[in-house]
Amino acid sequence: MHGRAVVVGVGESRYYKRGEATESEFQLACIAIRNAVDDAGLTMRDVDGVVSYMERNEPVRLSAALGMGDLAFTAQTFGGGGNGAGAAVTLADAAITAGYARCVVAFRSLAQGQFGRYGQSGRSRRSRGAGAFTVPYGIQTPAQICAMQTQRFMHEHGVTQDSLAEVVLASYAHAQRNPRAIRFGTPLTRDEYHASRWIAEPFHLYDCCPENDGAAAVVVTTRERGRDLRRSPVAIVAGAHGLEHRGGVAAFAEAGFPTAHLRHVARQLWSRAGAGPEDVPVAQFYENFTGPVLMAIAEMGFCPPEELNDFVSGGNLRWPDGRLPINTSGGNIGEGYIHGFGNVIEAVRQVRGESTCQVADVELSLSVSGPNYAPGSAVLFGRV
C-alpha cells in the first residue's frame, strides 16, 4: 500500500473520568467523528465507510444520526482489546487502497461509567472459552492476566521495577503539557510511584491505565484527494495485524510465552515499510499496563529484552531529550484510555507537527496497539 491511503482528519470528544461524561457513549462517538470530519474539511455526506473494533455503536445508527450518505464499506476487527486500534486503521487503509470506499472513518468510543468497568471482575466465577482456564482460579481482570505475563518476562530477562516506572513517568510528564489529558496538572514522582499500592504484582496503582469515558476518530482517504483538503495529509506507510501460529491460545499455553504478540506484526510491518525501528524517532505504545509496553518495545525491534533496563533508563522515553520519546500526549495512562485510539491520533499529530511534545522533523511515526492480546497490530505513519 505504501502511502496510497492518507489520514486527513483527527477528532476527539472530551475525555472524562469514568462515570463523569455528560453525554452518552453514542453521543461521544458522534462528537469524535464529527470533529474528525470537520478537521479534514469534509462533510458527513463525503463519508462512505466506517470501521472500528469492539464497538457498541454500529454504522446503522451512526450514519443516520450524523447524516452520512450511502455506506460502501463497514467492518470490525477480531480480538478482545486495544490490539484492534491499529487493525482498524489497516482496514480503512485496505478499503481505500482497494477502491471499496473513498472516505472511511475509523473510530472507537468507550464509556466505562455507563457500560461497566474493565478494571472490575464480575462476582460469578462461571466462564467458558479461554476464561474457563483462568476465571475459576481467580484470574478475572486484565491486570491479573498481564501481571502474570509481565512477572515471567521480568524474571527471564532481568527487567527491574524501575523500568516499569520509566513508562509511567514518561506518560505523566508528557500529560503535563497536554491540556486535553486527564492527568494534566497532576505530576507524578518516582517516590510516589513506588509508594502506591499493589494492584497485581508487579503492577502498582500507577502501572495501570485509568478508566475513562470518551471517543476518538480519524478520517482516511486517497492520497490524491488528500492533497486538496484542509490539513496536510499523513501517509499510512505500512500496517500489520495478525498472530503467530497458536499465538494467544488459552491458559498461557502458547509456545512463545510470555509475548506481546508483536513479533510477527513487527516482521510484517518493517518489511512492508522498507524501514526499521532505527528510522523511527517517536512511538506510541498502547499501555493498559506498563509491562506490556516493555515487551512491545523489545518485540518491535528497538532493543533486545536483556537491554531494556538501559534502553528506558535516565529519561530515555521522555520528550525532548530521550532516545525514543513514547506516548507523547500522555498515552492511555496520562491522556485518557479510549482503548488505545488516542495513540493513533497522537502518532498522526507527530507527523503533522502538532503534538504538545513535538519531536523535531518527524518523517516516520509509529503506533503499536494492544500488546499481550492477540491478534496484535501496528501502523507506521509518515510524510506524503
Side-chain angles (χ1 to χ4, degrees):
M1 299 175 182
H2 284 281
R4 291 172 61 187
V6 295
V7 176
V8 293
V10 300
E12 302 136 305
S13 70
R14 179 182 168 187
Y15 295 160
Y16 299 90
K17 179 181 177 181
R18 52 122 182 118
E20 294 185 357
T22 55
E23 305 91 351
S24 69
E25 185 183 76
F26 178 76
Q27 290 173 316
L28 293 169
C30 290
I31 290 167
I33 293 170
R34 184 183 63 199
N35 289 344
V37 171
D38 181 68
D39 184 61
L42 294 165
T43 70
M44 286 297 169
R45 301 292 292 182
D46 294 310
V47 176
D48 63 351
V50 178
V51 299
S52 189
Y53 56 103
M54 284 190 70
E55 182 58 47
R56 279 179 285 262
N57 298 295
E58 297 183 352
V60 172
R61 188 181 178 201
L62 284 169
S63 62
L66 288 167
M68 296 177 184
D70 297 339
L71 295 184
F73 187 85
T74 63
Q76 286 208 68
T77 68
F78 284 104
N83 49 308
V89 176
T90 65
L91 282 177
D93 185 6
I96 295 297
T97 302
Y100 289 119
R102 288 176 44 82
C103 182
V104 177
V105 167
F107 80 102
R108 180 72 170 103
S109 61
L110 184 64
Q112 293 193 57
Q114 298 167 29
F115 290 98
R117 299 169 56 184
Y118 288 166
Q120 285 190 335
S121 62
R123 293 184 178 182
S124 173
R125 290 203 174 179
R126 290 177 176 231
S127 190
R128 62 182 179 180
F133 295 96
T134 54
V135 171
Y137 306 99
I139 305 175
Q140 296 181 276
T141 67
Q144 293 167 319
I145 293 168
C146 290
M148 289 190 71
Q149 295 165 323
T150 300
Q151 192 82 286
R152 172 72 172 267
F153 183 79
M154 293 172 71
H155 171 75
E156 289 188 352
H157 302 291
V159 176
T160 67
Q161 192 76 38
D162 258 337
S163 291
L164 299 185
E166 290 291 346
V167 176
V168 180
L169 295 173
S171 293
Y172 265 78
H174 299 153
Q176 304 317 302
R177 297 180 55 86
N178 178 6
R180 299 183 306 274
I182 59 168
R183 300 304 187 209
F184 180 70
T186 56
L188 181 71
T189 68
R190 190 178 300 272
D191 288 343
E192 288 171 328
Y193 165 83
H194 283 295
S196 63
R197 71 181 186 272
W198 292 111
I199 301 299
E201 290 189 50
F203 297 150
H204 286 281
L205 172 66
Y206 293 111
D207 288 298
C208 306
C209 69
E211 298 168 326
N212 299 119
D213 300 344
V218 299
V219 179
V220 180
T221 189
T222 63
R223 180 197 292 247
E224 293 72 25
R225 193 178 194 190
R227 293 192 182 108
D228 300 325
L229 297 179
R230 177 180 296 164
R231 297 286 193 176
S232 297
V234 173
I236 302 172
V237 176
H241 70 275
L243 63 155
E244 296 174 317
H245 175 61
R246 289 183 56 81
V249 297
F252 309 117
E254 54 202 339
F257 179 83
T259 174
H261 304 108
L262 292 169
R263 291 183 292 247
H264 177 63
V265 168
R267 290 191 294 268
Q268 287 184 313
L269 185 80
W270 301 130
S271 174
R272 292 170 181 170
E278 67 278 3
D279 301 310
V280 175
V282 59
Q284 315 303 317
F285 286 94
Y286 178 97
E287 77 293 32
N288 49 356
F289 309 100
T290 53
V293 174
L294 300 181
M295 298 168 71
I297 288 172
E299 291 192 7
M300 291 302 298
F302 287 95
C303 75
E306 292 76 16
E307 297 178 12
L308 276 166
N309 292 331
D310 290 335
F311 187 87
V312 305
S313 66
N316 276 325
L317 302 181
R318 291 182 232 173
W319 181 88
D321 299 320
R323 71 171 77 178
L324 181 70
I326 70 167
N327 302 350
T328 45
S329 65
N332 291 339
I333 286 176
E335 183 182 38
Y337 181 77
I338 312 300
H339 233 161
F341 212 77
N343 287 358
V344 170
I345 289 179
E346 177 64 9
V348 171
R349 284 190 170 124
Q350 281 287 350
V351 179
R352 283 183 171 187
E354 298 174 352
S355 172
T356 52
C357 292
Q358 182 61 48
V359 174
D361 302 318
V362 173
E363 295 190 6
L364 293 174
S365 177
L366 178 67
S367 177
V368 178
S369 301
N372 285 80
Y373 289 88
S377 66
V379 184
L380 186 66
F381 298 97
R383 295 183 185 177
V384 173

